[in-house]
Amino acid sequence: MSGKGFKELLAEANAAIETLPVEDALAMVDDDSVVLVDVRETDEHQRGAIRHSVHAPRGFLEFIVDPEGPMHNPALASGKHLVLYCGSGGRSALAAKTLKDMGVEKVSHIAGGFAAWQEAGGPTE
């Protein structure tokens, strides 16, 4: 394979985005200026998610965030701080980098993802 592998892409993403420790993310749960975004697949989301998070699977993220996209969700174009999470932190890092590349200014992701959230006792639904 020529080109970049996932490890290089992940390293580039992590260098370009803000990674929040789960403790910092927990403090944002009731913050009206923050939107928690679950980028996991639908079956993962249905088995449990961070309370009040918006589901935007990574495979559709660009279509959901872009106001001109066919699946647009206005919550993700609100100008609020988007805090992304996935199962363990890899997909959300890549997704956060994508959103930065799309011009979303306030975006970060949770280190350790949903697994770290659950371990820290964060509210779920």
Side-chain angles (χ1 to χ4, degrees), residues 11-78:
E12 288 177 2
N14 279 313
I17 60 164
E18 178 185 25
T19 300
L20 296 173
V22 71
E23 297 78 18
D24 291 1
L26 283 165
M28 297 175 162
V29 164
D30 296 316
D31 186 335
D32 288 339
S33 69
V34 173
V35 178
L36 292 160
V37 183
D38 184 351
V39 299
R40 299 174 302 155
E41 298 298 317
T42 299
D43 63 320
E44 293 173 283
H45 177 77
Q46 289 172 342
R47 290 193 303 263
I50 293 176
R51 189 181 69 216
H52 305 305
S53 62
V54 174
H55 186 222
R58 184 169 173 248
F60 297 107
L61 189 62
E62 293 88 337
F63 302 104
I64 295 171
V65 171
D66 189 333
E68 295 180 20
M71 304 168 75
H72 178 62
N73 182 334
L76 302 186
S78 63

Side-chain angles (χ1 to χ4, degrees), residues 100-121:
K100 258 191 110 99
D101 291 347
M102 290 178 72
V104 176
E105 292 179 24
K106 294 183 271 186
V107 62
S108 53
H109 86 113
I110 301 173
F114 190 59
W117 183 269
Q118 286 180 300
E119 197 172 296

